[in-house]
Amino acid sequence: MSRIHLNAFDMACVGHQSAGLWRHPDDQGHRYRELDYWTELARTLEDGGFDALFLADILGVYDVYGGSRDAAVTDAAQFPVNDPSLAISAMAAVTRTLGFGVTLSLTYEQPYALARRLSTLDHLTGGRVAWNIVTSYLDSAARNLGLGTQIPHDQRYEIAEEYLEVCYKLWEGSWESDAVVRDRERGVFVDPAKVHDIDHSGRYFTVPGPFLCEPSAQRTPVLFQAGASPRGVRFAAAHAEAVFVSGPTPQVVRGPVRALRAAAAEFGRDPRSIKVFTMVTPIVAETHERAVAKLAEYRKLVSTSGAFALFGGWTGVDLAGLDPDEPLRYTDTDANRSALASFTTADPDRTWTPRLLAEEIGLGGRGPLLVGDPGEVADELERWIAEADVDGFNIAYVTTPGTFADFGRLVVPELRRRGRVPDHPELGTLRERLGGAGSHLAADHPGATYRHIRATSPTSA
Amino acid sequence: MSRIHLNAFDMACVGHQSAGLWRHPDDQGHRYRELDYWTELARTLEDGGFDALFLADILGVYDVYGGSRDAAVTDAAQFPVNDPSLAISAMAAVTRTLGFGVTLSLTYEQPYALARRLSTLDHLTGGRVAWNIVTSYLDSAARNLGLGTQIPHDQRYEIAEEYLEVCYKLWEGSWESDAVVRDRERGVFVDPAKVHDIDHSGRYFTVPGPFLCEPSAQRTPVLFQAGASPRGVRFAAAHAEAVFVSGPTPQVVRGPVRALRAAAAEFGRDPRSIKVFTMVTPIVAETHERAVAKLAEYRKLVSTSGAFALFGGWTGVDLAGLDPDEPLRYTDTDANRSALASFTTADPDRTWTPRLLAEEIGLGGRGPLLVGDPGEVADELERWIAEADVDGFNIAYVTTPGTFADFGRLVVPELRRRGRVPDHPELGTLRERLGGAGSHLAADHPGATYRHIRATSPTSA
């Protein structure tokens, strides 16, 4: 029985992927500004058997729907949005094993500074940090961050490749493992012969110097990625240790997962070493009937315009002006067809209208709703593992922390009974918890080739 | 009796301004990577009556001395250095009133992202955050962060002026105070008519959009600045709410303080509204004799080369190659003369050698050592307040947290007896604690003019 990995999927905002659900009396999303919200959530997740809390981020606002941000703002749909990295140390202080994934865009920050931020988090958490690598996709972000317009998609990945090369040199190559000696007698804290300039000079970045941080427990944080385009999949296959996918059915997800693992093998990597997380939104209760009743209660609170705002931001497709109850036709453009298909293939015979689409994605985004008692939800998770060949789940919430608390209280014990989740979380780093052989990058990972970039010292390996 | 304000001055590194003192058995600086170091320090400071913890930062390494970074690396003198902002939430979670000052350079990050980072910290801490505005001064940072060489000094301040204008528009102008309504009945979390584009289009920055964050307790974090050049003083007089100065005697500091307050008045600001902090390094014990013995013990541990590394980084003057025991002559260049004078005017009749200079600055940097029993140290602090017209002190450490713990345990009770420090810290925001009339920028501060940049809504003030 393979292990099932579990991330909680959240964001430093009121409503992540559940438009309008802030109106639910139990929802605590509005407390995203409070430290207590985050420390309580972290404890809930650790007690509930989650591997990690994953924090999404955007640096813009969804303004495609109706050509305006009004719908997103009204429903606080991922706007306002705070920085995702700053509550992590408080959460780490009240937990022992929970991992923290943080989304940081490489489009707007130099690698020398970003690498230091991640290493600092890895130090403070004792090796419990993952980086979700994104190249930002929002025009509204680019306009406000000095770019004017987006960098073309494929060039973003070319930049990302070199960006990671710089990071690997900093994380893996600059400091030898025994550089910090703290020898009081000799008066040497760091042996300067074991701290190396990385001498990077490339097309997009010039970084001659040494890394500012001594090595953290994981050196390179666990690398997550979610690229779905062909270029994005190639990037993930080369670099990612965990990948986010999403789709309404295992059949939709299975193909991309197979392609990802095959591409990883082509890069000389063990295809099973990449942990694939697919998104699901569980609505669980003690009985099937109660779960169905919860779903009905939630559905009433979905904001249609808020869901359209999310959909527009994710796909670029503006549903404004359509009759909400007219069947959707995929005739206008290829982009529309592909955007809609990624949400609506759950039941190919079903007729989708904008309103039905909003109801579907307004509760947790583009993953499926898993509604039922603990056994039913566990069955569905096991079916996804088997049929889609994924390793775990990004648990999206309908209400926060309610969805996470319910899942930890009801589903995780069932998964434990089935041998899918360990009774006690593994101690150690996040990389070890996710199945890595050790705290550092695997030997077949491209980052490993940057170790000891200048192993000129006789004591280095 | 005026209030005396107290900052603890630290950095996310092994040794901040006490080169070689990491060899002292009590020094805990090497624990800068551990969350517990920071949460214990925060509790010590709050219990000890400090107003705030101030975290310096550099994004480079001191490599002027001997044309190499070896001395700085060997003594871990501000290298390695972690990101200063990421432990703050953990410290905020274990304290109620302590403020947190964080140094963030505006040279390497877009204002749209930096403003969000600071607002997020202000949210999470409930309004306890200050920003130490720096325009980075190290060539070694510029080389690694995409600039190649430094931006010329005066242009850095021109950029900084526009940078702050963008921040003020985001913090003060974009969101009206009643934009967040959280009205469940109407389904409105944020009233989009009260979130405004800032429409900034300037010489260095183009930021059309709205701020990503809702207003935090202070909106604009408390603004600290430490510019000592004529251009830097003008910038501080215009924008700073607190200013760091340093010098060996009140007489050296007094002139710049007077010039700063006069310049603030010219900008139409209340000159007393700027709180001036000067740096001191207290070595205090129950008795004078014990304090003197501590000083002697500390002196033995100063690393001369580590001190020269700091001196080189701060001043650009390389003391390598000089006989450590030959008297210093200020004859070579104006820059040297001015650099040395800022450290060595404590006793104009004294003959300074490189070794004596290292002993002086190796214990806490360019402020004076205040050595004595609690009454003597309190007397000295009061003398500084009176003679230099400062409002408080940046307490530099010899050992951490030892210097801070000693000060809180021995000197603060004496200051309380003298009515200089309140018996119980004021609740509220950091701005209020530092004497502000409220949580927000004073009406005579230039940032206040950006409030309601588009007060077109009938309900806005």
Side-chain angles (χ1 to χ4, degrees):
Chain A
M1 260 332 167
S2 66
R3 168 104 156 73
I4 293 181
H5 292 284
L6 299 167
N7 288 331
F9 199 35
D10 200 346
M11 189 166 174
C13 66
V14 175
H16 180 205
Q17 301 193 125
S18 47
L21 269 292
W22 60 267
R23 292 175 294 174
H24 193 285
D26 293 345
D27 188 66
Q28 300 289 307
H30 63 279
R31 292 177 56 217
Y32 76 100
R33 307 185 304 151
E34 299 168 25
L35 216 34
D36 285 351
Y37 167 76
W38 296 106
T39 52
E40 290 164 17
L41 175 64
R43 279 199 206 93
T44 298
L45 296 176
E46 178 154 288
D47 294 346
F50 285 81
D51 291 281
L53 167 64
F54 223 91
L55 294 168
D57 189 34
I58 53 175
L59 271 156
V61 52
Y62 293 145
D63 56 7
V64 169
Y65 172 62
S68 147
R69 66 173 177 256
D70 284 1
V73 173
T74 301
D75 259 308
Q78 306 194 4
F79 181 92
V81 56
N82 279 354
D83 184 288
S85 60
L86 293 164
I88 288 176
S89 70
M91 292 190 280
V94 298
T95 53
R96 285 206 316 151
T97 65
L98 187 70
F100 301 97
V102 58
T103 300
L104 296 176
S105 171
L106 52 76
T107 305
Y108 305 113
E109 190 171 12
Q110 289 285 319
Y112 203 62
L114 182 137
R116 185 175 76 141
R117 285 218 273 157
L118 285 162
S119 287
T120 301
L121 285 174
D122 205 50
H123 279 301
L124 293 175
T125 62
R128 293 193 266 151
V129 166
W131 174 26
N132 181 26
I133 307 164
V134 300
T135 65
S136 294
Y137 63 97
L138 289 177
D139 285 338
S140 61
R143 280 197 303 272
N144 291 299
L145 284 146
L147 286 181
T149 81
Q150 293 281 1
I151 299 165
H153 178 273
D154 277 15
Q155 193 191 353
R156 292 212 303 269
Y157 277 103
E158 193 179 297
I159 295 170
E161 293 280 353
E162 189 184 330
Y163 200 107
L164 279 179
E165 184 184 333
V166 175
C167 288
Y168 294 145
K169 288 175 176 174
L170 293 169
W171 284 325
E172 301 290 328
S174 181
W175 287 65
E176 296 185 39
S177 300
D178 53 355
V180 177
V181 294
R182 201 172 156 229
D183 182 334
R184 285 207 185 93
E185 305 304 311
R186 289 168 52 225
V188 178
F189 198 103
V190 178
D191 180 349
K194 297 186 176 179
V195 179
H196 307 293
D197 287 330
I198 69 164
D199 278 333
H200 179 86
S201 178
R203 178 160 175 194
Y204 298 103
F205 302 103
T206 301
V207 185
F211 191 32
L212 294 169
C213 303
E214 62 179 288
S216 63
Q218 299 186 117
R219 283 189 174 254
T220 298
V222 176
L223 300 175
F224 276 64
Q225 221 266 337
S229 67
R231 187 66 190 82
V233 170
R234 215 164 81 224
F235 182 86
H239 299 282
E241 301 176 89
V243 169
F244 296 156
V245 297
S246 62
T249 67
Q251 287 64 43
V252 169
V253 167
R254 183 193 187 97
V257 172
R258 187 182 298 138
L260 171 75
R261 297 204 197 273
E266 279 172 37
F267 282 111
R269 300 179 63 198
D270 172 4
R272 307 300 323 172
S273 71
I274 301 185
K275 301 302 171 198
V276 181
F277 291 80
T278 195
M279 198 168 10
V280 298
T281 308
I283 297 178
V284 61
E286 282 77 358
T287 66
H288 180 87
E289 291 67 31
R290 277 198 229 162
V292 170
K294 272 169 85 171
L295 170 62
E297 179 198 351
Y298 291 151
R299 277 227 198 281
K300 279 187 252 166
L301 291 171
V302 170
S303 160
T304 307
S305 56
F308 291 163
L310 293 173
F311 184 82
W314 295 335
T315 65
V317 175
D318 181 5
L319 296 176
L322 300 185
D323 183 328
D325 297 308
E326 275 289 303
L328 284 166
R329 277 174 292 271
Y330 313 132
T331 49
D332 17 16
T333 68
D334 280 352
N336 281 12
R337 190 162 38 243
S338 140
L340 294 172
S342 76
F343 290 85
T344 57
T345 48
D347 177 354
D349 298 327
R350 185 166 169 192
T351 301
W352 289 90
T353 65
R355 192 186 308 280
L356 290 171
L357 187 65
E359 281 180 8
E360 195 76 8
I361 66 175
L363 296 178
R366 59 183 103 183
L369 287 170
L370 307 185
V371 183
D373 65 34
E376 289 171 317
V377 172
D379 288 347
E380 271 297 280
L381 295 175
E382 292 196 312
R383 185 171 75 88
W384 271 83
I385 295 282
E387 295 181 10
D389 189 24
V390 295
D391 304 282
F393 300 93
N394 266 354
I395 307 293
Y397 73 80
V398 176
T399 66
T400 175
T403 299
F404 304 127
D406 289 347
F407 190 88
R409 185 173 54 88
L410 296 170
V411 182
V412 168
E414 178 63 27
L415 293 174
R416 287 194 170 124
R417 272 189 289 277
R418 300 183 187 193
R420 296 292 203 167
V421 169
D423 287 341
H424 299 287
E426 305 89 340
L427 291 177
T429 60
L430 180 59
R431 181 169 282 115
E432 291 172 299
R433 183 164 186 170
L434 294 180
S439 293
H440 296 161
L441 285 173
D444 63 4
H445 189 280
T449 62
Y450 295 97
R451 284 176 190 151
H452 311 304
I453 44 174
R454 268 204 194 173
T456 50
S457 155
T459 57
S460 72
Chain B
M1 263 326 171
S2 66
R3 169 104 157 73
I4 294 180
H5 292 285
L6 299 167
N7 288 332
F9 198 35
D10 200 345
M11 189 165 174
C13 66
V14 175
H16 180 207
Q17 302 193 125
S18 47
L21 269 292
W22 61 267
R23 293 177 293 174
H24 193 285
D26 293 345
D27 189 66
Q28 299 289 307
H30 63 279
R31 293 178 54 217
Y32 77 99
R33 307 186 303 151
E34 299 168 24
L35 217 33
D36 285 351
Y37 168 76
W38 296 106
T39 51
E40 290 164 17
L41 176 64
R43 280 199 204 94
T44 299
L45 296 176
E46 178 155 288
D47 295 346
F50 285 81
D51 293 282
L53 167 63
F54 223 90
L55 293 168
D57 188 32
I58 54 174
L59 271 156
V61 52
Y62 293 145
D63 55 6
V64 169
Y65 173 63
S68 147
R69 66 173 177 257
D70 284 1
V73 173
T74 301
D75 259 309
Q78 307 195 2
F79 180 92
V81 55
N82 278 355
D83 184 288
S85 60
L86 293 164
I88 288 177
S89 70
M91 293 191 278
V94 299
T95 52
R96 287 204 315 149
T97 66
L98 187 70
F100 301 96
V102 58
T103 300
L104 296 177
S105 171
L106 52 76
T107 305
Y108 305 113
E109 189 171 15
Q110 288 286 317
Y112 204 62
L114 181 137
R116 185 175 76 141
R117 285 218 273 158
L118 284 162
S119 287
T120 301
L121 285 175
D122 206 50
H123 280 301
L124 294 174
T125 62
R128 293 194 266 151
V129 167
W131 174 26
N132 181 26
I133 307 164
V134 299
T135 65
S136 295
Y137 63 96
L138 288 177
D139 285 337
S140 62
R143 280 196 303 272
N144 290 300
L145 284 147
L147 287 181
T149 82
Q150 292 280 2
I151 300 165
H153 179 273
D154 278 15
Q155 193 190 353
R156 291 213 303 271
Y157 277 103
E158 192 179 298
I159 295 171
E161 292 280 354
E162 190 185 328
Y163 200 107
L164 279 180
E165 184 184 332
V166 174
C167 289
Y168 294 146
K169 288 174 176 174
L170 294 168
W171 284 325
E172 300 291 328
S174 182
W175 287 65
E176 297 186 37
S177 299
D178 54 356
V180 177
V181 294
R182 200 171 158 230
D183 182 334
R184 285 207 186 92
E185 306 303 312
R186 288 167 54 223
V188 178
F189 197 103
V190 178
D191 180 349
K194 297 186 176 179
V195 179
H196 307 293
D197 287 330
I198 69 164
D199 278 333
H200 179 86
S201 178
R203 178 159 176 196
Y204 298 103
F205 302 103
T206 302
V207 185
F211 191 32
L212 294 169
C213 303
E214 61 179 289
S216 63
Q218 298 187 119
R219 283 188 175 255
T220 299
V222 176
L223 300 175
F224 275 65
Q225 221 266 336
S229 68
R231 187 67 190 84
V233 170
R234 215 164 81 223
F235 182 86
H239 299 281
E241 301 176 271
V243 170
F244 295 156
V245 297
S246 62
T249 66
Q251 287 63 44
V252 170
V253 167
R254 183 193 186 95
V257 172
R258 186 182 298 140
L260 171 75
R261 297 205 198 272
E266 279 172 36
F267 281 113
R269 299 179 64 197
D270 172 5
R272 307 300 323 172
S273 72
I274 301 184
K275 302 300 171 199
V276 182
F277 291 81
T278 195
M279 197 165 15
V280 297
T281 307
I283 298 177
V284 62
E286 282 78 358
T287 65
H288 179 87
E289 291 66 32
R290 277 199 229 161
V292 170
K294 271 168 86 171
L295 170 62
E297 179 198 350
Y298 292 151
R299 278 226 199 281
K300 280 186 252 166
L301 292 170
V302 169
S303 159
T304 308
S305 56
F308 291 162
L310 293 173
F311 185 82
W314 295 334
T315 65
V317 175
D318 180 5
L319 296 176
L322 301 185
D323 183 328
D325 297 307
E326 275 289 303
L328 284 166
R329 276 175 292 270
Y330 313 132
T331 49
D332 17 16
T333 68
D334 282 351
N336 281 13
R337 192 163 35 246
S338 138
L340 294 172
S342 76
F343 290 85
T344 57
T345 48
D347 178 355
D349 298 327
R350 186 168 169 190
T351 301
W352 288 91
T353 65
R355 192 186 308 280
L356 290 171
L357 187 65
E359 282 182 7
E360 194 77 7
I361 67 176
L363 295 178
R366 60 182 101 183
L369 287 170
L370 308 184
V371 184
D373 65 33
E376 290 171 317
V377 172
D379 287 348
E380 270 298 279
L381 295 175
E382 291 196 311
R383 185 171 75 88
W384 271 83
I385 295 282
E387 295 181 9
D389 189 24
V390 297
D391 304 281
F393 300 92
N394 266 353
I395 307 293
Y397 72 79
V398 176
T399 67
T400 177
T403 300
F404 303 128
D406 289 347
F407 190 88
R409 185 173 56 86
L410 297 171
V411 182
V412 168
E414 178 64 28
L415 293 173
R416 286 193 170 125
R417 271 190 290 278
R418 300 183 187 193
R420 295 293 203 166
V421 169
D423 287 341
H424 300 287
E426 306 89 339
L427 292 175
T429 60
L430 181 58
R431 183 170 281 113
E432 292 173 298
R433 183 164 185 170
L434 294 180
S439 292
H440 296 160
L441 285 174
D444 63 4
H445 189 281
T449 62
Y450 295 97
R451 284 175 190 152
H452 312 304
I453 44 173
R454 268 203 195 174
T456 51
S457 155
T459 56
S460 71

